[in-house]
Amino acid sequence: DADVTQTPRNRITKTGKRIMLECSQTKGHDRMYWYRQDPGLGLRLIYYSFDVKDINKGEISDGYSVSRQAQAKFSLSLESAIPNQTALYFCATSEPTWGGEKLFFGSGTQLSVL
Amino acid sequence: AQKITQTQPGMFVQEKEAVTLDCTYDTSDPSYGLFWYKQPSSGEMIFLIYQGSYDQQNATEGRYSLNFQKARKSANLVISASQLGDSAMYFCAMREGRGYNQGGKLIFGQGTELSVKP
Protein backbone atom coordinates (compact mmCIF):
# COMPACT_ATOMS: atom_id res chain seq x y z
CA ASP A 1 0.00 0.00 0.00
CA ALA A 2 1.12 3.50 -0.78
CA ASP A 3 2.34 5.65 2.11
CA VAL A 4 0.31 8.64 0.86
CA THR A 5 -3.02 7.75 -0.71
CA GLN A 6 -5.23 10.13 -2.61
CA THR A 7 -8.83 9.49 -3.61
CA PRO A 8 -10.22 9.66 -6.17
CA ARG A 9 -7.49 9.28 -8.80
CA ASN A 10 -9.63 10.97 -11.42
CA ARG A 11 -12.73 13.12 -11.13
CA ILE A 12 -14.87 14.94 -13.64
CA THR A 13 -17.34 17.44 -12.27
CA LYS A 14 -19.45 20.35 -13.41
CA THR A 15 -19.09 24.04 -12.73
CA GLY A 16 -20.66 25.02 -9.43
CA LYS A 17 -20.48 21.59 -7.82
CA ARG A 18 -18.87 21.01 -4.45
CA ILE A 19 -16.12 18.47 -4.51
CA MET A 20 -13.79 16.96 -1.94
CA LEU A 21 -10.40 15.38 -2.56
CA GLU A 22 -9.15 13.12 0.19
CA CYS A 23 -5.68 12.26 1.37
CA SER A 24 -4.55 9.75 3.95
CA GLN A 25 -1.05 8.77 5.01
CA THR A 26 0.56 5.96 6.93
CA LYS A 27 3.95 7.64 7.39
CA GLY A 28 3.06 9.09 10.78
CA HIS A 29 4.05 12.58 9.68
CA ASP A 30 2.53 15.65 11.28
CA ARG A 31 3.03 17.90 8.26
CA MET A 32 0.73 17.66 5.27
CA TYR A 33 0.28 19.73 2.12
CA TRP A 34 -1.92 20.21 -0.91
CA TYR A 35 -0.28 21.25 -4.16
CA ARG A 36 -1.74 21.94 -7.56
CA GLN A 37 0.04 21.27 -10.86
CA ASP A 38 -0.83 23.09 -14.06
CA PRO A 39 1.02 22.49 -17.34
CA GLY A 40 3.94 24.87 -17.70
CA LEU A 41 3.57 26.22 -14.17
CA GLY A 42 5.06 23.53 -11.98
CA LEU A 43 3.46 22.86 -8.60
CA ARG A 44 1.94 25.53 -6.43
CA LEU A 45 1.05 25.29 -2.76
CA ILE A 46 -2.65 25.57 -1.90
CA TYR A 47 -2.78 24.80 1.84
CA TYR A 48 -0.57 23.22 4.45
CA SER A 49 -0.88 21.90 7.96
CA PHE A 50 1.98 21.32 10.40
CA ASP A 51 -0.17 19.47 12.91
CA VAL A 52 -3.80 18.59 13.51
CA LYS A 53 -4.70 21.99 14.93
CA ASP A 54 -2.71 23.99 12.40
CA ILE A 55 -4.05 25.10 9.01
CA ASN A 56 -2.32 27.66 6.79
CA LYS A 57 -2.97 29.18 3.39
CA GLY A 58 -0.46 28.71 0.66
CA GLU A 59 0.18 30.65 -2.51
CA ILE A 60 -3.16 29.93 -4.20
CA SER A 61 -5.79 29.22 -1.53
CA ASP A 62 -8.68 31.23 -3.03
CA GLY A 63 -11.58 28.95 -3.95
CA TYR A 64 -10.31 26.11 -1.77
CA SER A 65 -10.72 24.98 1.82
CA VAL A 66 -9.17 22.16 3.80
CA SER A 67 -9.90 20.01 6.79
CA ARG A 68 -7.40 18.12 8.93
CA GLN A 69 -9.55 15.43 10.43
CA ALA A 70 -6.70 13.53 12.06
CA GLN A 71 -2.94 13.28 11.86
CA ALA A 72 -3.35 10.89 8.95
CA LYS A 73 -6.08 12.69 7.02
CA PHE A 74 -6.11 15.97 5.15
CA SER A 75 -8.89 16.76 2.71
CA LEU A 76 -9.20 19.52 0.13
CA SER A 77 -12.57 20.98 -0.85
CA LEU A 78 -13.68 23.07 -3.76
CA GLU A 79 -16.89 24.72 -2.57
CA SER A 80 -18.04 25.73 -6.03
CA ALA A 81 -15.82 24.30 -8.73
CA ILE A 82 -14.88 26.40 -11.75
CA PRO A 83 -13.15 25.35 -14.99
CA ASN A 84 -9.82 26.99 -14.16
CA GLN A 85 -9.53 24.64 -11.20
CA THR A 86 -8.98 21.83 -13.68
CA ALA A 87 -5.55 20.54 -12.67
CA LEU A 88 -3.56 17.71 -11.16
CA TYR A 89 -3.72 17.86 -7.37
CA PHE A 90 -1.07 16.39 -5.11
CA CYS A 91 -1.15 15.69 -1.42
CA ALA A 92 2.20 15.41 0.34
CA THR A 93 3.64 14.83 3.79
CA SER A 94 6.93 15.63 5.47
CA GLU A 95 8.58 15.41 8.85
CA PRO A 96 10.38 18.31 10.50
CA THR A 97 14.13 18.53 10.07
CA TRP A 98 16.66 21.30 10.35
CA GLY A 99 17.88 20.58 6.85
CA GLY A 100 16.32 19.20 3.70
CA GLU A 101 12.78 18.29 4.59
CA LYS A 102 11.77 15.83 1.92
CA LEU A 103 8.20 15.76 0.67
CA PHE A 104 6.49 12.43 0.13
CA PHE A 105 3.83 12.79 -2.54
CA GLY A 106 0.67 10.88 -3.26
CA SER A 107 -0.06 9.70 -6.79
CA GLY A 108 -2.19 12.74 -7.58
CA THR A 109 -5.83 13.41 -8.41
CA GLN A 110 -6.65 14.61 -11.90
CA LEU A 111 -9.63 16.92 -11.61
CA SER A 112 -11.57 18.19 -14.60
CA VAL A 113 -14.23 20.87 -14.17
CA LEU A 114 -16.55 21.20 -17.14
CA ALA B 1 9.42 37.79 -10.54
CA GLN B 2 10.06 34.10 -10.92
CA LYS B 3 11.76 32.63 -7.89
CA ILE B 4 12.73 29.42 -9.67
CA THR B 5 13.54 29.42 -13.37
CA GLN B 6 14.11 26.41 -15.54
CA THR B 7 14.93 27.70 -19.00
CA GLN B 8 14.94 24.38 -20.83
CA PRO B 9 11.39 23.21 -21.59
CA GLY B 10 12.77 20.06 -23.23
CA MET B 11 16.08 18.26 -23.49
CA PHE B 12 17.35 15.25 -25.39
CA VAL B 13 20.28 13.09 -24.38
CA GLN B 14 21.78 9.92 -25.75
CA GLU B 15 21.67 6.89 -23.51
CA LYS B 16 24.82 6.53 -21.34
CA GLU B 17 25.76 10.18 -21.76
CA ALA B 18 25.64 12.82 -19.04
CA VAL B 19 23.13 15.65 -19.09
CA THR B 20 22.77 18.90 -17.15
CA LEU B 21 19.40 20.41 -16.36
CA ASP B 22 19.53 24.10 -15.52
CA CYS B 23 17.93 25.83 -12.58
CA THR B 24 18.37 29.38 -11.33
CA TYR B 25 16.74 30.79 -8.24
CA ASP B 26 16.09 34.11 -6.63
CA THR B 27 15.91 34.72 -2.91
CA SER B 28 17.16 37.23 -0.38
CA ASP B 29 16.93 34.74 2.48
CA PRO B 30 20.40 33.52 3.50
CA SER B 31 18.91 30.19 4.60
CA TYR B 32 17.24 28.13 1.92
CA GLY B 33 17.15 24.69 0.41
CA LEU B 34 17.12 23.48 -3.15
CA PHE B 35 15.47 20.29 -4.33
CA TRP B 36 15.11 18.30 -7.52
CA TYR B 37 12.13 16.05 -8.20
CA LYS B 38 11.44 13.65 -11.04
CA GLN B 39 7.97 13.14 -12.49
CA PRO B 40 7.66 10.16 -14.83
CA SER B 41 4.75 9.85 -17.23
CA SER B 42 2.85 7.94 -14.54
CA GLY B 43 2.58 11.22 -12.65
CA GLU B 44 4.15 10.57 -9.27
CA MET B 45 6.71 12.98 -7.82
CA ILE B 46 10.00 11.38 -6.83
CA PHE B 47 12.59 13.14 -4.68
CA LEU B 48 16.08 13.06 -6.19
CA ILE B 49 18.46 15.35 -4.35
CA TYR B 50 18.74 18.22 -1.86
CA GLN B 51 21.25 21.04 -1.34
CA GLY B 52 21.21 23.38 1.62
CA SER B 53 22.39 26.95 1.25
CA TYR B 54 25.06 26.46 3.89
CA ASP B 55 26.30 23.15 2.56
CA GLN B 56 29.92 23.46 1.56
CA GLN B 57 29.98 20.57 -0.85
CA ASN B 58 27.78 19.78 -3.82
CA ALA B 59 25.17 17.15 -3.07
CA THR B 60 25.37 13.77 -4.74
CA GLU B 61 22.96 10.84 -4.78
CA GLY B 62 24.04 7.97 -6.95
CA ARG B 63 23.98 9.12 -10.57
CA TYR B 64 22.58 12.50 -9.57
CA SER B 65 24.67 15.45 -8.52
CA LEU B 66 23.78 19.04 -7.91
CA ASN B 67 26.12 21.69 -9.27
CA PHE B 68 25.54 24.43 -6.71
CA GLN B 69 26.94 27.84 -7.61
CA LYS B 70 25.77 30.13 -4.85
CA ALA B 71 27.10 33.38 -6.25
CA ARG B 72 25.36 32.72 -9.55
CA LYS B 73 22.24 31.44 -7.78
CA SER B 74 22.20 28.31 -9.83
CA ALA B 75 21.50 24.71 -8.83
CA ASN B 76 21.89 22.57 -11.90
CA LEU B 77 21.13 18.87 -11.83
CA VAL B 78 23.66 16.59 -13.46
CA ILE B 79 22.60 13.08 -14.40
CA SER B 80 25.52 10.85 -15.30
CA ALA B 81 25.26 7.81 -17.57
CA SER B 82 21.66 8.47 -18.64
CA GLN B 83 19.27 5.55 -18.80
CA LEU B 84 16.04 5.15 -20.73
CA GLY B 85 14.18 5.21 -17.43
CA ASP B 86 15.43 8.73 -16.82
CA SER B 87 12.98 10.04 -19.41
CA ALA B 88 10.65 12.22 -17.36
CA MET B 89 9.81 15.75 -16.31
CA TYR B 90 12.28 17.22 -13.83
CA PHE B 91 11.41 19.97 -11.39
CA CYS B 92 13.70 22.24 -9.44
CA ALA B 93 12.24 23.61 -6.20
CA MET B 94 13.29 25.92 -3.40
CA ARG B 95 12.41 26.30 0.26
CA GLU B 96 13.05 29.74 1.67
CA GLY B 97 14.03 29.81 5.32
CA ARG B 98 15.04 27.01 7.63
CA GLY B 99 13.66 23.55 7.11
CA TYR B 100 12.28 23.21 10.62
CA ASN B 101 10.20 26.36 10.25
CA GLN B 102 9.25 26.18 6.61
CA GLY B 103 8.96 22.44 6.18
CA GLY B 104 7.78 21.34 2.78
CA LYS B 105 6.61 24.73 1.59
CA LEU B 106 8.36 24.61 -1.74
CA ILE B 107 8.39 26.90 -4.75
CA PHE B 108 8.65 24.91 -7.95
CA GLY B 109 10.04 25.76 -11.35
CA GLN B 110 8.17 25.05 -14.56
CA GLY B 111 10.00 21.83 -15.23
CA THR B 112 12.25 20.38 -17.93
CA GLU B 113 11.15 17.39 -19.95
CA LEU B 114 14.09 15.04 -20.51
CA SER B 115 14.02 12.44 -23.24
CA VAL B 116 16.71 9.78 -23.31
CA LYS B 117 17.36 8.29 -26.73
CA PRO B 118 18.62 4.70 -27.18
Side-chain angles (χ1 to χ4, degrees), chain A residues 9 31 33 35 37 40-45 48 50 88 90 94 96-103 105-107, chain B residues 35 37 39 42-47 50 89 91 95 98-111:
Chain A
R9 290 296 308 276
R31 299 182 172 190
Y33 311 80
Y35 279 89
Q37 183 179 17
L41 291 179
L43 279 73
R44 291 179 292 167
L45 182 62
Y48 64 100
F50 279 7
L88 181 59
F90 284 103
S94 70
T97 69
W98 287 103
E101 189 156 323
K102 187 167 61 174
L103 285 172
F105 285 89
S107 299
Chain B
F35 300 75
Y37 282 85
Q39 186 178 40
S42 53
E44 73 264 35
M45 294 289 289
I46 303 167
F47 168 80
Y50 166 80
M89 185 73 85
F91 290 96
R95 182 207 66 242
R98 293 188 178 278
Y100 193 85
N101 296 326
Q102 299 299 317
K105 291 167 57 185
L106 302 186
I107 303 164
F108 284 80
Q110 308 96 311

Side-chain angles (χ1 to χ4, degrees), chain B residues 11 64 71 84 118:
Chain B
M11 290 275 290
Y64 305 107
L84 296 178

Side-chain angles (χ1 to χ4, degrees), chain B:
Chain B
Q2 292 273 22
K3 293 225 172 190
I4 293 284
T5 302
Q6 295 180 252
T7 57
Q8 306 153 314
M11 290 275 290
F12 288 93
V13 65
Q14 205 67 36
E15 192 178 8
K16 300 181 183 177
E17 292 185 351
V19 62
T20 298
L21 306 184
D22 294 342
C23 173
T24 57
Y25 60 91
D26 182 27
T27 182
S28 57
D29 198 320
S31 180
Y32 54 90
L34 297 157
F35 300 75
W36 277 91
Y37 282 85
K38 173 184 178 181
Q39 186 178 40
S41 58
S42 53
E44 73 264 35
M45 294 289 289
I46 303 167
F47 168 80
L48 295 178
I49 198 166
Y50 166 80
Q51 179 87 39
S53 59
Y54 296 115
D55 293 343
Q56 295 296 313
Q57 295 193 327
N58 287 346
T60 60
E61 291 280 353
R63 293 187 299 112
Y64 305 107
S65 60
L66 199 152
N67 184 1
F68 181 44
Q69 298 189 44
K70 198 169 182 177
R72 294 186 176 186
K73 293 189 174 180
S74 75
N76 298 339
L77 176 71
V78 181
I79 306 175
S80 64
S82 298
Q83 302 172 355
L84 296 178
D86 293 334
S87 293
M89 185 73 85
Y90 288 81
F91 290 96
C92 179
M94 175 176 66
R95 182 207 66 242
E96 291 182 297
R98 293 188 178 278
Y100 193 85
N101 296 326
Q102 299 299 317
K105 291 167 57 185
L106 302 186
I107 303 164
F108 284 80
Q110 308 96 311
T112 294
E113 185 163 8
L114 177 67
S115 298
V116 180
K117 293 185 169 183

